Amino acid sequence: MTLQTCNLVPQRILQHTFFPHLLLSVLPLLLQAWWGSCHPQCLDYKPPFEPRQPLVFCKEYSKFGCCDLEKDEEVSAKFYTIMENFDHSGFATCGKYIRTILCQECSPYAAHLYDAEDANTPMRILPGLCRDYCSNYWHQCRYTLSLLLENTGSPQQFANLTAAIEDDRRRFCDYLELKDIQYCYPNVLTNAELNANLGLVREDPKGCLELCLQEVANGLRNPVAMIHADDGTHRFFVAEQLGYVWVYLANGSRIDRPFLNLTRAVLTSPWAGDERGFLCIALHPRFTTVRKAYVYYSVSVKKEERIRISEFTLSTHDDNQLDHSSERTILEVVEPASNHNGGQLLFGHDGYLYIFIGDGGRAGDPFGKFGNSQNKSTLLGKALRVDVDNNDDGAPYSIPSDNPFLGEKEARPEIYAYGVRNMWRCSIDRGDRATGHGRGRMLCGDVGQNKYEEVDLIVKGGNYGWRAKEGFSCYDRKLCQNSSLDDILPIFAYPHKLGKSVTGGYIYRGCQMPNLNGIYIFGDFMSGRLMSLKENVSTGEWQYNEICMGTDQTCRFPKLINSYYKYIISFAEDEAGELYFLATGAPSATARAGVIYKIVDPSRRAPPGKCSIKPSHVQIKGKLIHFYPKEVSSRIAQTPIITTRPTRRHGRPHQYPPSTTSHPLTSPQPRGRGRGRGFQRGRGGRRLRVGSVRLVSTDGLSDRGRVEIFIRGEWGTVCDDLFTSKAGTVVCRQLGFTTALAVMKRAALGEADSRVRIFLDDVECEGGERSLLGCKRSRVGKHNCSHREDVGVICAHTRPDTSPQCLVFCS
């Protein structure tokens, strides 16, 4: 059952004054609510958790709630301090009410009971009660209210308040009641709909898993890879397609000097669609002692395009920089075409280096009788395995003694698996934290040709079917019917109606989000879909679920967002096992539109302290560039996929996810032209309607810039913290564009001059309005912001995910 929760308007018990009669007169106006959706939260504005040790006092929340044992002891101490005021009969009569009210801080719905959803506004002093429960409390123990409040704020302040309401049941319960009958105590505990699947990953009505994101880096140029050193520093290394690799510290800051700069050697271009470039980096598994890194990039040698795998040694003077003069070529492979370059390097748990090379390019692997991928005398279309240890005084690599084709005539000994097309992003499973299940497994996304994308589990000696098969489907029918093919089927495949370029991901094995353990999270570069697979350990089958962004309230925790740039380039895992993905809004190697997002489950977290890390010190040479999130609000328009049965392996029946139809865009509205009131002439004599908009760009571009709106005969800005892609699309349609590619906040596209007025704030659009003045908003001219929060919009003529062009990493 889908967990439905609600969005409460802040029911503030205001900063109490010394005028309780004034407070009481406005209380009924404050205690209002409306329906929406949100996750349970704790008073620290984080999800609930299962405490590491059972609670002693608030035992009913031992399995799942908002208190650890330390907090439970604090609540217990407060209870017994209050109860010192009672004799035995009073203890027996009122103790249950006092205990219950105090323990609501441990409820998984604490944030709702205390009205703490918004971290920027004050919480209730006491949890919200249901009317009947409050009436019983008033009849039995009305004079205990002052005891509950005496240690909070000013004693005299609350003495005045309680004296005014303790003898009046209506006023008493107006103060304590939570009007929402679903969330007030004790109804919140008995509501079957609210408590179904409590603490599990939330699903929307169509079965899409609702997760949130945290922005951790931005301003990158096609970030293609992110890795860690596994050295206790918890820093990570981010590679850009141009050939830069940057070091980020655990606190999010970046070192200004690149870890590696190969921009002069790397072969790539600015145009969207170029698959060449710097594609991957891997650090030696014993990096602290071996101090070597391996890189995979495109290069031109005498006008011949090649893939180059090189080895670098860490600088003797700086642990955050490679010695650029130490490059040693490990392997070079000639590329017959400019696409299908592969691009994955990783070390397995066996200590060997795995290299994933594409089939050579063009369409349908047309090289030779059976194509490169089925030809074991070439390295193209293969997964390779080599040993790079102890290579300082000899060959750059040796062949592991158990490589599967070591003794086969005419087969290259480096080959570990074959029949792959263009594997883009592979990962090694760390294994279950408790049982170790899955440890060492290798999963890869293999980009398809015309119809299907696939995810494969790589095994030694495996043939993955290309070009005979694409996913589960025959591509070359003659090859496909060859009984000697003996290919390994994908664990999952999906049609091009869902996406056209798979980006392989990781199985989550981190600590912070227990619900995600064992879930393989991956995506699609072209459609922007986030997807997941969950293994049935007993059957070996994999269950598919799409991942969607949680609704506004679901992700309304500090630092969390529910939108991302569409082009999902890569996935990553940090030293602690938490998952990330790298995406961009403009898939060009020169566009600074790349962002790194951390994946967050808002339904449950690990107990406080369980996942704490203490990064070891990093000696810095150079300067640190501090990170500031841009809070991009260009929400991806995804149609959730109905959960299907898992596709099956080894020739057994399988299913693809059902196809979906994208939502058509609203047609652009013509610019306002007409006569009568509400119009004034702009430049060139064009009449301006009240509510007309324009984009003011510091670069003089017509499709992006700070949003200005024409009201009262002048242009003013829009300043907002609620402005979403729906409002951005309204702006773009007014200007003749089809949609908003991105919405930028905090004046990311420039601040207005101090003389320009701020006209609109708190704009919330449904999406179909003809202008921003048709959207819900504050009164014109009323705002609580500054020009540092001016909104900007980037518009587009066509919806990005409907473009027929195959962009970078996609062919």
Side-chain angles (χ1 to χ4, degrees):
M1 180 184 294
T2 300
L3 176 62
Q4 296 292 340
T5 54
C6 74
N7 170 23
L8 306 178
V9 174
Q11 302 163 29
R12 300 285 161 242
I13 295 186
L14 298 176
Q15 305 280 343
H16 296 306
T17 68
F18 293 102
F19 305 102
H21 60 283
L22 178 60
L23 174 66
L24 292 171
S25 68
V26 299
L27 269 175
L29 300 177
L30 300 173
L31 302 175
Q32 300 296 324
W34 72 75
W35 290 106
S37 63
C38 50
H39 264 299
Q41 298 178 37
C42 299
L43 297 186
D44 59 1
Y45 310 110
K46 295 180 181 179
F49 54 88
E50 182 178 351
R52 302 175 74 177
Q53 298 172 288
L55 307 185
V56 175
F57 186 69
C58 301
K59 296 179 181 179
E60 61 269 39
Y61 301 114
S62 278
K63 187 173 182 180
F64 190 69
C66 289
C67 289
D68 55 15
L69 188 59
E70 182 180 0
K71 185 64 179 179
D72 182 64
E73 291 172 351
E74 181 183 319
V75 173
S76 176
K78 186 173 182 179
F79 170 78
Y80 286 110
T81 298
I82 291 174
M83 299 314 294
E84 288 176 356
N85 295 281
F86 292 83
D87 57 18
H88 176 75
S89 62
F91 195 109
T93 302
C94 297
K96 60 182 179 181
Y97 291 104
I98 302 298
R99 179 189 174 280
T100 293
I101 290 171
L102 292 177
C103 280
Q104 291 319 297
E105 193 170 343
C106 300
S107 166
Y109 296 106
H112 309 308
L113 291 168
Y114 284 84
D115 194 21
E117 294 89 348
D118 189 343
N120 300 311
T121 55
M123 293 184 292
R124 293 177 64 112
I125 306 301
L126 296 174
L129 307 179
C130 299
R131 193 77 182 188
D132 290 345
Y133 186 87
C134 180
S135 294
N136 292 335
Y137 174 39
W138 182 84
H139 279 297
Q140 297 286 334
C141 303
R142 72 191 73 170
Y143 299 113
T144 62
L145 181 61
S146 58
L147 297 175
L148 284 168
L149 296 173
E150 66 181 2
N151 292 324
T152 310
S154 166
Q156 182 60 42
Q157 173 183 350
F158 290 110
N160 292 337
L161 173 65
T162 57
I165 68 175
E166 282 180 337
D167 287 321
D168 187 320
R169 185 180 65 176
R170 182 184 60 80
R171 291 185 175 184
F172 185 90
C173 287
D174 282 345
Y175 180 81
L176 292 179
E177 185 185 5
L178 190 64
K179 295 294 186 181
D180 190 320
I181 60 173
Q182 295 259 349
Y183 266 113
C184 61
Y185 182 86
N187 290 3
V188 70
L189 297 179
T190 59
N191 186 288
E193 189 176 21
L194 289 177
N195 287 278
N197 299 324
L198 180 62
L200 301 180
V201 181
R202 176 180 172 151
E203 296 183 6
D204 75 359
K206 294 186 178 180
C208 189
L209 303 180
E210 294 192 352
L211 299 179
C212 304
L213 303 174
Q214 180 181 348
E215 183 182 339
V216 298
N218 54 37
L220 292 159
R221 293 159 293 193
N222 268 10
V224 293
M226 168 181 156
I227 60 172
H228 63 86
D230 198 23
D231 60 357
T233 63
H234 291 269
R235 55 187 168 156
F236 53 90
F237 304 79
V238 177
E240 295 178 313
Q241 189 181 1
L242 279 174
Y244 289 106
V245 181
W246 303 98
V247 179
Y248 287 79
L249 302 186
N251 64 7
S253 58
R254 176 170 67 85
I255 299 175
D256 65 339
R257 299 178 182 180
F259 183 68
L260 181 64
N261 179 359
L262 286 182
T263 53
R264 291 186 178 180
V266 168
L267 175 63
T268 190
S269 70
W271 54 268
D274 197 340
E275 298 179 23
R276 304 167 299 176
F278 189 101
L279 300 180
C280 203
I281 180 171
L283 303 182
H284 194 282
R286 301 190 306 279
F287 184 64
T288 53
T289 55
V290 177
R291 299 170 68 84
K292 289 182 178 180
Y294 299 84
V295 299
Y296 187 127
Y297 64 98
S298 304
V299 65
S300 178
V301 179
K302 297 180 180 179
K303 298 184 178 180
E304 183 179 64
E305 292 187 12
R306 301 181 184 180
I307 291 167
R308 176 179 291 169
I309 287 82
S310 290
E311 176 187 85
F312 285 85
T313 302
L314 195 64
S315 169
T316 57
H317 306 293
D318 189 349
D319 285 348
N320 295 299
Q321 199 166 52
L322 293 176
D323 180 354
H324 287 61
S325 66
S326 68
E327 182 174 12
R328 181 187 189 192
T329 299
I330 298 294
L331 180 68
E332 278 191 359
V333 181
V334 175
E335 273 283 345
S338 295
N339 58 345
H340 299 192
N341 299 295
Q344 182 69 54
L345 288 179
L346 55 80
F347 281 91
H349 286 176
D350 53 14
Y352 297 133
L353 178 64
Y354 290 78
I355 306 167
F356 294 82
I357 299 178
D359 66 5
R362 300 181 190 167
D365 193 6
F367 306 99
K369 185 176 181 180
F370 304 113
N372 285 326
S373 292
Q374 293 295 322
N375 179 4
K376 285 181 278 187
S377 66
T378 177
L379 298 181
L380 294 167
K382 309 297 188 301
L384 313 180
R385 182 173 72 158
V386 298
D387 186 351
V388 293
D389 280 345
N390 305 311
N391 65 350
D392 291 338
D393 300 320
Y397 65 85
S398 59
I399 306 298
S401 60
D402 64 337
N403 266 17
F405 306 108
L406 187 57
E408 186 174 316
K409 185 179 180 181
E410 297 184 356
R412 292 292 299 262
E414 298 93 340
I415 297 173
Y416 182 77
Y418 66 108
V420 306
R421 184 177 179 275
N422 189 30
M423 287 192 162
W424 183 249
R425 292 305 169 246
C426 304
S427 63
I428 303 291
D429 186 0
R430 294 188 180 203
D432 185 86
R433 297 170 70 93
T435 67
H437 173 75
R439 177 175 168 79
R441 290 185 299 187
M442 189 180 303
L443 292 95
C444 293
D446 198 2
V447 179
Q449 179 68 50
N450 296 326
K451 294 182 179 179
Y452 299 106
E453 306 296 306
E454 66 183 72
V455 177
D456 295 304
L457 191 59
I458 306 300
V459 297
K460 181 168 66 176
N463 179 4
Y464 290 87
W466 177 251
R467 73 180 185 199
K469 289 183 180 177
E470 179 188 11
F472 293 99
S473 174
C474 287
Y475 178 80
D476 184 319
R477 295 198 175 275
K478 289 185 178 180
L479 280 179
C480 187
Q481 294 167 1
N482 189 330
S483 60
S484 65
L485 184 64
D486 193 27
D487 59 322
I488 296 175
L489 296 176
I491 62 171
F492 182 73
Y494 62 92
H496 278 187
K497 289 182 179 180
L498 296 189
K500 297 182 179 179
S501 183
V502 65
T503 300
Y506 282 80
I507 294 180
Y508 180 81
R509 300 297 188 186
C511 174
Q512 295 177 8
M513 289 161 284
N515 288 335
L516 300 186
N517 181 47
I519 294 179
Y520 179 71
I521 296 177
F522 65 109
D524 189 276
F525 175 81
M526 289 297 290
S527 68
R529 289 183 186 272
L530 287 170
M531 297 172 277
S532 75
L533 298 174
K534 177 73 172 179
E535 182 189 17
N536 183 323
V537 177
S538 61
T539 65
E541 297 173 350
W542 295 77
Q543 175 72 44
Y544 170 83
N545 269 90
E546 187 166 349
I547 293 173
C548 52
M549 294 294 96
T551 53
D552 288 342
Q553 281 297 109
T554 299
C555 295
R556 193 162 287 180
F557 293 93
K559 299 183 179 179
L560 295 193
I561 57 176
N562 62 350
S563 58
Y564 59 92
Y565 279 135
K566 155 182 177 170
Y567 300 105
I568 302 172
I569 300 175
S570 189
F571 285 79
E573 185 182 52
D574 68 15
E575 192 169 343
E578 303 304 320
L579 289 194
Y580 303 75
F581 69 91
L582 291 63
T584 184
S588 163
T590 58
R592 291 187 178 274
V595 180
I596 300 177
Y597 302 99
K598 182 180 180 180
I599 297 171
V600 178
D601 172 20
S603 65
R604 180 185 171 196
R605 59 171 158 151
K610 181 179 181 180
C611 305
S612 59
I613 59 172
K614 294 182 179 179
S616 56
H617 179 69
V618 179
Q619 187 68 37
I620 303 298
K621 292 187 177 180
K623 297 179 180 179
L624 287 179
I625 301 172
H626 297 290
F627 167 66
Y628 299 99
K630 291 183 177 179
E631 300 184 29
V632 178
S633 294
S634 55
R635 177 174 298 187
I636 300 300
Q638 298 187 40
T639 303
I641 307 304
I642 299 173
T643 305
T644 67
R645 299 178 202 170
T647 53
R648 299 189 182 184
R649 304 173 54 200
H650 310 306
R652 289 176 284 179
H654 61 273
Q655 277 188 299
Y656 296 101
S659 62
T660 58
T661 303
S662 58
H663 297 296
L665 284 178
T666 305
S667 300
Q669 300 294 328
R671 300 185 185 186
R673 296 179 182 271
R675 298 176 181 176
R677 299 179 62 185
F679 289 83
Q680 291 198 17
R681 292 189 179 274
R683 293 180 181 178
R686 185 169 67 89
R687 292 181 178 271
L688 295 176
R689 180 190 293 272
V690 173
S692 297
V693 293
R694 68 183 182 187
L695 299 179
V696 179
S697 170
T698 56
D699 299 321
L701 301 175
S702 61
D703 66 338
R704 67 198 62 194
R706 175 173 49 78
V707 176
E708 287 196 352
I709 186 166
F710 186 78
I711 302 175
R712 296 172 181 168
E714 65 177 302
W715 289 98
T717 64
V718 180
C719 168
D720 202 275
D721 57 356
L722 299 177
F723 203 88
T724 67
S725 59
K726 289 183 178 179
T729 300
V730 173
V731 170
C732 292
R733 286 204 310 266
Q734 282 185 261
L735 297 175
F737 295 90
T738 309
T739 189
L741 185 63
V743 172
M744 315 293 283
K745 298 183 180 180
R746 297 197 176 183
L749 294 179
E751 296 181 24
D753 185 90
S754 59
R755 291 169 293 183
V756 178
R757 298 178 62 188
I758 299 172
F759 276 155
L760 293 188
D761 186 22
D762 294 331
V763 176
E764 291 184 281
C765 301
E766 294 296 325
E769 295 87 350
R770 295 176 65 91
S771 81
L772 292 182
L773 291 182
C775 302
K776 178 183 175 183
R777 64 187 190 283
S778 297
R779 190 170 65 248
V780 172
K782 182 180 179 181
H783 64 88
N784 60 353
C785 46
S786 68
H787 285 305
R788 289 179 305 216
E789 299 166 70
D790 288 346
V791 173
V793 171
I794 300 175
C795 297
H797 282 291
T798 59
R799 188 177 180 184
D801 61 352
T802 59
S803 171
Q805 181 186 17
C806 190
L807 299 176
V808 69
F809 313 127
C810 167
S811 47

